Amino acid sequence: MESDDELIAIVSMECRLPQADGVDEFWQKLVDGDSAVRDLTDEEVAAAGVPEGRRSRADYVKRAGVIDGLAEFDSTYFGYSPREADILDVQQRLMLESSVSLLERANIDPQRTRQRIGVFAGSGMSTYLFGALRRRDLVESLGEMVIRHGNDKDFLATRTSYKLNLRGPSVNVQTACSTGLVAVHSAVQSLLLNECDAAIAGAVHVRLPQHAGYRYQVGGVLSPDGVCRPFDSGANGTVFTNGIGLVLLKRLRDAVADGDEVHAVIAASAVNNDGAEKVSFTAPSVSGQVEVLSDALQISGAKQTDITYIEAHGTGTALGDPIEIEAIKQAYGLDGAPCGIGSLKGNFGHLNIAAGIIGLIKAALVLKHGYVPPTVNVDEVNPALELDGSRYFVTTEGLPLDRGSENWAGVSAFGMGGTNGHVILKSFEPSPADESAAEAPADDAAAAGPSILTFSARSEDALRGQAAALADRLAADPAASLAAYAHTLREGRTLHPYRASLAAVDRAEAVTRLRAGRYHRGAEAGTNEIAFVFAGQGTQRQAMGAALATKNEHFARRLAEAVDAVNEHTDFDVNTYLGPDGPVDGIDTSVAQPLLFAVEYALATALVDAGVRPHYVLGHSLGEIVAATVAGVFDLRSAAALVATRARLMGGCPTGSMLAVDRLDEFRDLLDGGDLVVAATNSPAQFVLSGTHEAVDEAVARAADAGVRHQRLATSHAFHSPLMRGAAEEFRAFLHTVEFRAPGIALVSNITGRVLTEYEARSPHYWADHLLRTVDFAESMETLRAAGVRRFIEIGAGRSMSNLVRANLAAEAGLTPELAQTLGELEHEEESFADAVALGWAADPEVPVEAYATAARMVSLPTYAFERHVHWVEPTLGFGADDDADAPVAASLSVPAPVPAPAAAPAPAASAADSGPADLDGPTEEIRGIVAKIFESFIGAPAAAHEREFFELGGNSLMAIQLINKLRETFELDFSVRDFYENSSVSATTNVITSLLLEEPAHV
């Protein structure tokens, strides 16, 4: 590839290997010179099914490279029913999960990207299939075709494309041990031909049982002691292990333009075959290897001496190593700069199908880190390699590369059968302009403002896993930019049904909230309505909203509109009370109410401008007037006049007092005289008494004597008491001049506790009586609780309404409301408002959060935290029928003999689906039990939800055919495909079968 336009970038890498669950662990294992191949205990080998007579032989080698957790798989993420996940080949499971992680490492959301993403991959033969086919219960319930489809390597690439919604070429590559590297070559060619914009390339190999060991055969390729010694004088065989490796490739120019991290650049790749000019089908060929290395070198445009490291195939066999070294010397020449040769097979064994791709990942890491890890298990370099006097040496010790110059590396993989692959890589250094653009500065809370972190998962448990992983990454990243994290989470991650969000201004706060679970939650299938709760008089504070107005243009504009409207009807300027020196303590009602109205109206409408739309609004006393305005009952000008008039009239009433108490029983006799009333029922344990000074003084004394918790409120008047009667009458007269409209948003009444009717909303009498009647906030909350509302945004300063919401919902076990405040603490107004937007996003991911995720580039973040569960069919050493292999994954299927038709016919129904479980009794209940067991045998989980359709439970069309046949055999009747597809729940299927047994039509 002589032109930069033909260079291919490796933008992300993923692997899962013995003792290395990821690229970082893989690299550390290499750097430390550790081996991942371990001894097996006799108990492990016996548990793998190896007979005692075989495992006790002297030539039986009890060593293996074992991947932990192979039985676990996140079936929910990929939409598999438990039973279908049980029979899916572990190689295909690894491919699916690793592909998700690979794309996330590149910050690509396959559901939203416009890129055509290809898949080029191969796998080993499924040995998991052997165990599945021996399970007669699985074969009978699912059918052999379903089991084979789940294990056939033909479907590796296409299954990945289907499950991840990838639309580029999807091609299986199978060339034995060179598969992984040949897959890379195929992906490179597809990119160069513009068939795709990005490509997943790699391979997976898992042989089961993992703990079986193997029998050594003299003259074979396997090591007699389970140790692979690449290029060592004592090299006597390899040891096959398990693993997966994947890379994501892009054209370099596209990767740079997209701001991707480039680990290394593929400068050239070549593939050929030895043909027939070799000793045998399985033998290597010097000439074939020389040609493929030479072809790649020529395509790359590099000189022979540019290559200073080669990750060799290096199997540690007496025949293979010398042939490979000879080919290297012929292709790359004997003279020039020193060139190291290494092989990871000493660390991880021979990864078979995946060997080449793991070698490529290692070489890319070598160039990225500027360091060559040692090749292990080399006590003495094999003299037969004849390296003395040449420029080549085996890297038996760690070797730093020259970071001051461009570094080149070659990677080889040679497949049994003669297909050879070679890739040439070179290091990548971004240009100063690219590097500058990619840099994300650490947080400066004062300058950057709050960021909204959004993340999602396929289940609640996985969501918690996402939060934990994100917190750990933030905690370990002192240079983290929250804006870059927010931008990456928003743009580079798939949106899943369970959502979470939070706003934060600094890293420490984000970590604390993530670890404590203090983030907002939402779910695709849940109730996501939001209620705006407007605070009442007494919640005002100094300079409320001033800090937010300097940062949020929507709020500043809305506040200015509201202040202008209110100022037309007051003899003071509301702005006087909004500044940092504005007095608010002890201000008159005629000032407090217009001030609160202006700020709360601006907060609510600014939130709506930001995309957060309430489904319900309610307020406490004055707050209901603001809520009604936001709901459209009053326009802004009318509302401003109304509030100013209301406040002036209330402020002119006789003075009085108010007292908060936690119960009422001790005051019942005092409430009979009319001088003391219940002004508000805020919650089941919080009430407000209102009346004359004398009546309240007596109530205070009564509370002290009875041990009732109480607090006198800092008010000058007895609101919501008969002392407001004069104001109510004058206000009623004024209201006849106001134009009312029907609410456009459900408005919950303080007076009735119900959703306000149009008649009430447009009645002057309702709003006049509002001054006198009890604020029944507790009943309002009960209405919202019954409606399923769990999300509340407090409109106003502080947390008083949030505390009341929490107090009202605390009595319901297990119910935790989602709460946000628009103006929380004085010093965090902007963050509080952003957190309200975050709550809006959790409820509705269409709420835009771009303004709170402003970084130009994405960064590396943790990949999806899969919620893995055991899906396992015990593997076998080989395939063969076994009458004792029918132990089920859950419970065994035991279906009674065919059921005779009931003696008495039930009343006919309009259709099978219309009759529910309540209609089932007698013989029909017995039929339903049999049907439920059959469903369970196919789905793999109890089919307790009898009304859920088969396909909703995770079934597919192939499984449906098998299930229909099972029903036919069990009940000895002609149960049609149409019958099932139209009636595929347990209950509906039962009704169809019952009708057929009675010779009644199930449908017309």
Side-chain angles (χ1 to χ4, degrees):
M1 301 178 190
E2 297 178 357
S3 167
D4 283 352
D5 290 340
E6 296 178 319
L7 296 176
I8 302 297
I10 300 175
V11 298
S12 70
M13 303 184 290
E14 184 67 21
C15 67
R16 190 169 171 191
L17 305 168
Q19 300 181 31
D21 193 11
V23 172
D24 291 340
E25 292 182 22
F26 166 62
W27 178 247
Q28 193 60 53
K29 205 81 173 171
L30 293 172
V31 170
D32 293 342
D34 291 339
S35 173
V37 182
R38 67 171 179 86
D39 292 329
L40 301 171
T41 66
D42 193 61
E43 290 75 17
E44 288 177 318
V45 178
V50 181
E52 195 279 333
R54 190 186 311 172
R55 67 178 185 268
S56 63
R57 292 173 59 101
D59 58 1
Y60 199 82
V61 182
K62 300 175 186 176
R63 280 178 64 80
V66 176
I67 299 179
D68 294 330
L70 268 188
E72 298 172 355
F73 176 56
D74 192 341
S75 57
T76 301
Y77 185 98
F78 299 101
Y80 283 109
S81 69
R83 179 67 85 223
E84 193 172 8
D86 288 343
I87 58 91
L88 183 64
D89 181 25
V90 292
Q91 297 177 116
Q92 309 239 5
R93 303 181 197 178
L94 287 173
M95 181 69 189
L96 288 171
E97 290 187 348
S98 297
S99 294
V100 170
S101 299
L102 183 78
L103 291 173
E104 290 199 345
R105 290 194 190 282
N107 294 321
I108 293 176
D109 173 8
Q111 304 303 323
R112 289 184 295 167
T113 186
R114 302 176 74 175
Q115 300 178 61
R116 297 162 301 158
I117 302 174
V119 181
F120 300 85
S123 69
M125 182 183 72
S126 174
T127 51
Y128 190 70
L129 173 66
F130 297 161
L133 288 177
R134 291 179 69 205
R135 285 278 303 280
R136 293 190 175 179
D137 60 316
L138 295 177
V139 174
E140 289 181 3
S141 61
L142 297 177
E144 186 176 315
M145 181 177 291
V146 171
I147 295 174
R148 290 192 183 277
H149 275 195
N151 288 268
D152 193 328
K153 58 187 179 183
D154 276 5
F155 304 115
L156 179 76
T158 52
R159 176 173 278 113
T160 302
S161 295
Y162 170 66
K163 287 295 184 180
L164 274 59
N165 191 35
L166 309 180
R167 301 181 182 275
S170 190
V171 181
N172 262 53
V173 179
Q174 297 298 156
T175 62
C177 304
S178 59
T179 293
L181 214 57
V182 174
V184 170
H185 172 79
S186 301
V188 167
Q189 297 306 309
S190 184
L191 285 164
L192 294 177
L193 291 172
N194 201 34
E195 294 175 338
C196 57
D197 304 305
I200 295 172
V204 56
H205 176 263
V206 176
R207 177 181 175 272
L208 297 172
Q210 286 199 98
H211 300 86
Y214 61 90
R215 183 179 175 187
Y216 169 69
Q217 292 180 316
V218 177
V221 298
L222 296 177
S223 166
D225 57 1
V227 177
C228 183
R229 301 174 175 84
F231 312 120
D232 184 63
S233 60
N236 55 3
T238 195
V239 53
F240 287 105
T241 54
N242 298 329
I244 182 171
L246 298 175
V247 294
L248 186 70
L249 307 179
K250 281 186 177 182
R251 290 177 287 272
L252 178 60
R253 63 177 183 273
D254 294 339
V256 172
D258 293 342
D260 295 321
E261 180 182 9
V262 178
H263 300 279
V265 172
I266 296 178
S269 65
V271 170
N272 71 359
N273 192 275
D274 295 333
E277 295 182 1
K278 56 182 182 177
V279 175
S280 68
F281 176 72
T282 61
S285 163
V286 173
S287 61
Q289 293 183 21
V290 170
E291 287 176 10
V292 79
L293 270 61
S294 299
D295 288 347
L297 182 63
Q298 182 179 5
I299 295 169
S300 73
K303 300 188 295 290
Q304 288 179 323
T305 53
D306 287 337
I307 310 300
T308 56
Y309 176 70
I310 296 174
E311 177 62 24
H313 195 53
T315 57
T317 59
L319 175 64
D321 286 359
I323 287 178
E324 181 172 11
I325 294 299
E326 179 60 28
I328 289 172
K329 289 189 287 189
Q330 290 187 32
Y332 283 105
L334 296 176
D335 301 323
C339 179
I341 298 175
S343 171
L344 61 82
K345 292 180 177 61
N347 307 88
F348 289 94
H350 193 327
L351 291 153
N352 204 303
I353 299 292
I357 187 63
I358 300 299
L360 182 79
I361 292 173
K362 175 187 172 182
L365 292 170
V366 164
L367 296 178
K368 179 181 178 180
H369 295 293
Y371 179 79
V372 180
T375 298
V376 301
N377 300 333
V378 183
D379 295 327
E380 177 187 14
V381 175
N382 187 356
L385 303 180
E386 299 181 350
L387 295 179
D388 291 343
S390 73
R391 71 187 190 101
Y392 302 101
F393 63 96
V394 177
T395 54
T396 56
E397 296 179 355
L399 173 70
L401 298 179
D402 181 3
R403 301 306 296 268
S405 62
E406 189 174 62
N407 289 300
W408 296 72
V411 185
S412 293
F414 309 124
M416 191 173 290
T419 295
N420 307 306
H422 192 66
V423 173
I424 294 180
L425 302 176
K426 67 176 180 177
S427 58
F428 177 76
E429 293 295 333
S431 68
D434 295 332
E435 204 164 36
S436 174
E439 287 178 356
D443 281 334
D444 181 348
S451 295
I452 294 180
L453 304 181
T454 57
F455 53 100
S456 64
R458 300 286 298 180
S459 69
E460 287 280 6
D461 286 344
L463 191 70
R464 286 189 286 271
Q466 295 287 85
L470 195 57
D472 290 346
R473 175 63 61 87
L474 268 171
D477 186 3
S481 162
L482 279 186
Y485 273 55
H487 176 59
T488 304
L489 289 168
R490 185 178 70 86
E491 292 293 332
R493 294 295 184 268
T494 298
L495 180 64
H496 298 295
Y498 292 86
R499 304 179 293 270
S501 59
L502 63 93
V505 295
D506 60 55
R507 186 171 62 95
E509 180 191 9
V511 170
T512 298
R513 288 190 62 181
L514 287 166
R515 286 179 171 168
R518 290 191 293 110
Y519 41 80
H520 305 299
R521 296 167 176 82
E524 189 176 281
T527 301
N528 291 307
E529 285 87 355
I530 295 176
F532 282 7
V533 187
F534 295 78
Q537 187 174 343
T539 59
Q540 65 270 13
R541 72 174 182 216
Q542 193 171 40
M544 60 179 179
L548 179 61
T550 64
K551 300 285 189 179
N552 188 303
E553 62 179 41
H554 292 292
F555 174 70
R557 176 170 55 82
R558 292 293 192 174
L559 182 60
E561 291 174 357
V563 168
D564 288 346
V566 169
N567 280 347
E568 292 180 11
H569 305 282
T570 62
D571 56 2
F572 60 89
D573 185 355
V574 172
N575 286 309
T576 303
Y577 299 90
L578 293 175
D581 299 325
V584 292
D585 293 335
I587 59 175
D588 187 78
T589 296
S590 62
V591 176
Q593 291 191 17
L595 171 63
L596 281 168
F597 171 83
V599 173
E600 291 184 9
Y601 174 85
L603 286 169
T605 51
L607 263 184
V608 173
D609 290 342
V612 183
R613 303 184 185 280
H615 300 80
Y616 295 87
V617 290
L618 73 157
H620 196 284
S621 189
L622 168 70
E624 187 170 334
I625 305 294
V626 195
T629 306
V630 172
V633 176
F634 317 111
D635 61 43
L636 176 58
R637 297 296 171 186
S638 298
L642 184 154
V643 168
T645 302
R646 181 181 189 271
R648 176 176 53 78
L649 293 173
M650 293 175 73
C653 288
T655 61
S657 298
M658 301 182 79
L659 180 71
V661 296
D662 67 350
R663 58 182 186 268
L664 291 177
D665 290 346
E666 286 79 357
F667 308 99
R668 295 296 181 189
D669 59 322
L670 298 181
L671 295 171
D672 293 337
D675 290 338
L676 188 71
V677 297
V678 178
T681 302
N682 287 332
S683 77
Q686 186 179 343
F687 308 88
V688 176
L689 306 178
S690 181
T692 63
H693 295 298
E694 295 78 12
V696 172
D697 287 344
E698 185 176 355
V700 169
R702 179 78 60 85
D705 291 342
V708 175
R709 286 185 295 174
H710 62 285
Q711 180 179 358
R712 193 187 290 267
L713 303 184
T715 62
S716 57
H717 291 76
F719 301 123
H720 299 281
S721 79
L723 293 178
M724 294 286 109
R725 192 172 303 282
E729 293 304 321
E730 289 191 56
F731 191 44
R732 194 187 319 273
F734 165 79
L735 287 169
H736 282 288
T737 68
V738 174
E739 180 182 356
F740 299 89
R741 292 188 293 268
I745 304 170
L747 173 62
V748 184
S749 167
N750 270 177
I751 294 176
T752 67
R754 304 185 309 269
V755 173
L756 206 64
T757 66
E758 180 179 352
Y759 173 79
E760 291 169 325
R762 302 179 74 164
S763 167
H765 300 288
Y766 175 86
W767 296 106
D769 288 348
H770 203 266
L771 278 64
L772 301 169
R773 301 283 294 274
T774 300
V775 175
D776 200 343
F777 190 82
E779 188 61 27
S780 299
M781 284 301 304
E782 175 59 25
T783 293
L784 292 176
R785 186 204 64 76
V789 179
R790 301 293 182 267
R791 291 173 177 79
F792 301 87
I793 297 179
E794 179 168 357
I795 309 296
R799 299 173 180 269
S800 59
M801 293 297 100
S802 296
N803 291 336
L804 288 184
V805 169
R806 193 177 286 108
N808 277 282
L809 297 182
E812 186 171 341
L815 177 59
T816 303
E818 296 284 347
L819 297 167
Q821 297 78 40
T822 45
L823 292 179
E825 289 76 11
L826 181 61
E827 63 274 19
H828 296 304
E829 286 188 347
E830 188 186 9
E831 181 183 356
S832 293
F833 188 88
D835 203 50
V837 176
L839 184 148
W841 183 91
D844 177 10
E846 294 298 317
V847 171
V849 294
E850 292 88 346
Y852 300 97
T854 56
R857 300 276 180 152
M858 289 187 271
V859 295
S860 176
L861 292 183
T863 58
Y864 188 84
F866 289 110
E867 184 191 5
R868 296 185 173 108
H869 297 288
V870 172
H871 293 284
W872 193 241
V873 174
E874 199 61 36
T876 180
L877 287 173
F879 177 68
D882 186 346
D883 291 339
D884 297 325
D886 282 340
V889 174
S892 346
L893 174 63
S894 176
V895 181
V899 180
S911 74
D914 290 337
S915 299
D919 300 325
L920 300 174
D921 52 33
T924 309
E925 186 65 31
E926 182 182 2
I927 294 171
R928 186 178 69 171
I930 297 170
V931 171
K933 284 186 177 182
I934 293 174
F935 268 66
E936 180 178 341
S937 72
F938 279 79
I939 298 301
H946 294 160
E947 301 311 312
R948 294 185 67 190
E949 303 295 321
F950 177 75
F951 302 96
E952 184 183 348
L953 290 167
N956 59 43
S957 57
L958 288 175
M959 294 166 67
I961 296 300
Q962 298 295 322
L963 187 145
I964 291 167
N965 286 327
K966 186 67 177 178
L967 292 169
R968 288 172 173 170
E969 294 169 6
T970 301
F971 294 100
E972 297 183 350
L973 48 76
D974 185 17
F975 186 52
S976 72
V977 173
R978 177 188 172 192
D979 282 333
F980 183 76
Y981 271 70
E982 293 180 357
N983 305 275
S984 70
S985 70
V986 169
S987 294
T989 298
T990 299
N991 293 333
V992 173
I993 291 172
T994 301
S995 298
L996 291 171
L997 290 171
L998 294 169
E999 295 185 350
E1000 292 184 354
H1003 48 69
V1004 179

